[in-house]
Amino acid sequence: MYNIIIYLYLLGVAIYSRFNEKVRKMWRGERDAFRVLREKVDPKARYVWFHAASLGEFEQGRPLMEQLRRDHPELKILLTFFSPSGYEVRKNYEGADIICYLPLDTIRNARRFLRAIRPEMAFFIKYEFWYNYLHILKHRGVPVYSVSSIFREGQVFFRWYGRQYGRVLKCITHFYVQNETSRRLLASIGLHNVTITGDTRFDRVLQIKNQAKVLPVVEQFAANSKVFIAGSSWQPDEEIFIKYFKQHPDWKLVIAPHVIGEDHLQQIEKMLEGRKVLRYTKAVNDEGTQECPDVLIIDCFGLLSSIYRYADVTYVGGGFGVGIHNTVEAAVWDVPVVFGPNHERFQEAQELKDCGGGFAIASYDDFARLMDRFQADTQLMKSAGQAAGNYVKSKSGATKLILSAVNL
């Protein structure tokens, strides 16, 4: 049944690729993967394979790859992606020797792929348990590690109808999971080769903090002011915090929207009518500008993790949609983190709330009350920020735990 579904999916992707650019990139990339392997694989080298579904999983795997390269320079690293949103951003990542898409999980593709690489071990990051790849790896005696993985009761593995597919988990040599719930769920289906190590993403955000860029434009903008920074925001988020800050001109506002398109940027500017607004790229290109804006819109990618350093309070968007974005990326800077109501599936958001560093809001009134509290009690704001930063530090160390346990 699984293989039938995979072939139907393959057919669907082939058809849909004619109409969607992202799917077309994935379709072409998967078919091109074997050419990449033919050209780049060194038959005498020893390969360790890392698979990340997309960009978020890559960031979780990155500390492992970089520590592995430092400790074992004799090993080569193969990095594969399933999604174009990961591959297109990190296809030139210098920490891996070969980077390509993972061909779809047919028996033939899995055999060809593994015959070309012959990995000594494999790391699957967080999600994605490909039935054919994992069974062939097990048959060949290749150790497979699931790292930073997290399991929930609603997943197919723990449903009566998913028992057959759930056998794929028996192909994993060891699970390095994020929490006790995951360990308990795996134990309920007879899997005890599990260690709770936490999430390598905490190691990654600490790396990012240590390597953060100094941004003169933002630094000058934020000087001697109270600064609220909203990262990865969507329109429902923006409607709430912009309404508040239009009434509180003593705060400066930085907005790094999730979607950077001209229509959305103009929409934000229209909502901010009455306040002095400047786009980041204009400030960078017009050196020496004399404008003194009180709102800065970040209209480019790649800066958010460094921008959070200038905040007194942060807001992480997405919580009025399918779910919040990366809260720990903000929390690492010792600042309070505010987010919307759809955060129940995100362990770090729950733990930030529990430690006093994170705050959930469900409406404009919630947000206004919280910000009024911060305005009236700066010590509360400071202690909440310290709680957020201490939380991130307390959760670090998964990379070291995992690599010290595997057989290298």
Side-chain angles (χ1 to χ4, degrees):
M1 179 61 73
Y2 174 84
N3 288 316
I4 293 173
I5 293 172
I6 286 292
Y7 279 109
L8 289 174
Y9 177 81
L10 185 61
L11 177 62
V13 168
I15 295 171
Y16 194 40
S17 68
R18 297 175 178 270
F19 308 101
N20 183 284
E21 178 63 23
K22 182 177 179 180
V23 175
R24 185 157 53 248
K25 286 180 178 179
M26 182 178 74
W27 172 244
R28 290 173 177 169
E30 288 180 0
R31 291 189 297 168
D32 196 45
F34 292 112
R35 179 195 60 79
V36 173
L37 297 181
R38 282 196 305 271
E39 292 178 358
K40 295 190 175 183
V41 169
D42 178 354
K44 297 179 181 178
R46 300 166 57 201
Y47 285 94
V48 177
W49 173 25
F50 285 83
H51 176 65
S54 192
L55 187 59
E57 290 77 18
F58 164 79
E59 290 296 331
Q60 288 175 293
R62 185 169 179 169
L64 290 164
M65 287 184 276
E66 294 181 355
Q67 189 63 51
L68 180 68
R69 189 176 289 287
R70 286 192 291 269
D71 294 344
H72 296 276
E74 74 279 8
L75 299 175
K76 289 187 178 293
I77 293 174
L78 164 70
L79 171 62
T80 59
F81 289 96
F82 180 74
S83 168
S85 59
Y87 175 80
E88 295 299 329
V89 174
R90 294 302 182 192
K91 59 187 176 184
N92 296 317
Y93 170 58
E94 295 181 352
D97 298 282
I98 303 174
I99 303 173
C100 65
Y101 282 92
L102 181 66
L104 199 62
D105 188 31
T106 65
I107 294 174
R108 181 172 181 268
N109 280 350
R111 285 174 176 165
R112 287 182 65 194
F113 182 88
L114 295 171
R115 191 180 301 124
I117 290 295
R118 300 186 184 279
E120 293 200 358
M121 64 181 61
F123 292 84
F124 278 56
I125 304 160
K126 193 174 183 178
Y127 296 129
E128 294 210 338
F129 298 94
W130 294 108
Y131 195 89
N132 292 314
Y133 280 104
L134 289 172
H135 274 86
I136 295 171
L137 284 166
K138 183 179 181 182
H139 177 73
R140 295 186 174 192
V142 178
V144 181
Y145 303 103
S146 175
V147 298
S148 292
S149 45
I150 188 165
F151 294 90
R152 301 181 180 89
E153 289 186 6
Q155 288 173 300
V156 64
F157 313 112
F158 312 110
R159 300 283 189 171
W160 64 266
Y161 54 80
R163 288 174 184 169
Q164 183 174 0
Y165 174 68
R167 294 173 187 167
V168 71
L169 298 181
K170 296 184 184 297
C171 298
I172 303 295
T173 306
H174 203 90
F175 295 88
Y176 295 99
V177 300
Q178 294 189 29
N179 56 28
E180 170 62 22
T181 299
S182 298
R183 187 206 63 76
R184 178 177 53 78
L185 286 169
L186 290 171
S188 73
I189 57 173
L191 295 171
H192 302 283
N193 49 332
V194 182
T195 303
I196 302 172
T197 55
D199 190 347
T200 52
R201 181 169 43 170
F202 291 94
D203 297 330
R204 178 60 187 147
V205 296
L206 286 166
Q207 281 183 350
I208 291 171
K209 181 181 181 181
N210 292 334
Q211 299 165 4
K213 306 169 186 175
V214 174
L215 303 171
V217 167
V218 185
E219 193 166 286
Q220 181 179 358
F221 170 83
N224 303 314
S225 302
K226 291 183 293 185
V227 182
F228 180 90
I229 296 180
S232 301
S233 62
W234 295 80
Q235 183 179 342
D237 306 302
E238 292 149 6
E239 288 173 348
I240 287 177
F241 62 72
I242 286 176
K243 179 180 177 181
Y244 181 86
F245 288 109
K246 284 187 73 173
Q247 301 169 26
H248 293 81
D250 51 324
W251 281 79
K252 287 196 170 184
L253 176 59
V254 179
I255 305 173
H258 185 74
V259 176
I260 300 177
E262 187 58 30
D263 289 346
H264 189 202
L265 295 175
Q266 289 184 16
Q267 184 183 53
I268 293 171
E269 289 169 340
K270 186 176 181 180
M271 285 192 284
L272 287 161
E273 190 174 357
R275 296 202 67 174
K276 298 175 184 177
V277 181
L278 180 64
R279 295 191 188 185
Y280 179 83
T281 54
K282 185 178 188 302
V284 170
N285 293 330
D286 297 348
E287 292 185 13
T289 179
Q290 298 303 305
E291 290 187 71
C292 296
D294 46 25
V295 181
L296 183 64
I297 299 176
I298 309 302
D299 56 343
C300 56
F301 292 107
L303 301 179
L304 183 57
S305 58
S306 296
I307 287 172
Y308 280 133
R309 74 192 299 168
Y310 302 104
D312 292 288
V313 179
T314 61
Y315 182 96
V316 176
F320 287 90
V322 296
I324 55 174
H325 295 285
N326 191 343
T327 53
V328 295
E329 189 177 45
V332 73
W333 290 105
D334 302 318
V335 290
V337 185
V338 185
F339 40 82
N342 295 338
H343 60 269
E344 291 83 2
R345 296 183 295 108
F346 299 87
Q347 176 178 302
E348 63 275 10
Q350 302 297 322
E351 292 176 344
L352 276 168
K353 284 176 59 182
D354 291 343
C355 76
F359 302 84
I361 56 113
S363 66
Y364 170 79
D365 289 340
D366 287 347
F367 181 77
R369 281 193 293 269
L370 176 62
M371 290 304 301
D372 287 347
R373 285 175 61 201
F374 284 151
Q375 291 235 73
D377 188 349
T378 55
Q379 184 56 43
L380 170 65
M381 186 167 62
K382 183 178 179 180
S383 62
Q386 290 173 339
N390 289 337
Y391 164 73
V392 175
K393 296 182 188 77
S394 73
K395 302 290 281 188
S396 65
T399 300
K400 184 177 180 179
L401 287 172
I402 293 167
L403 290 180
S404 65
V406 302
N407 266 332
L408 290 167

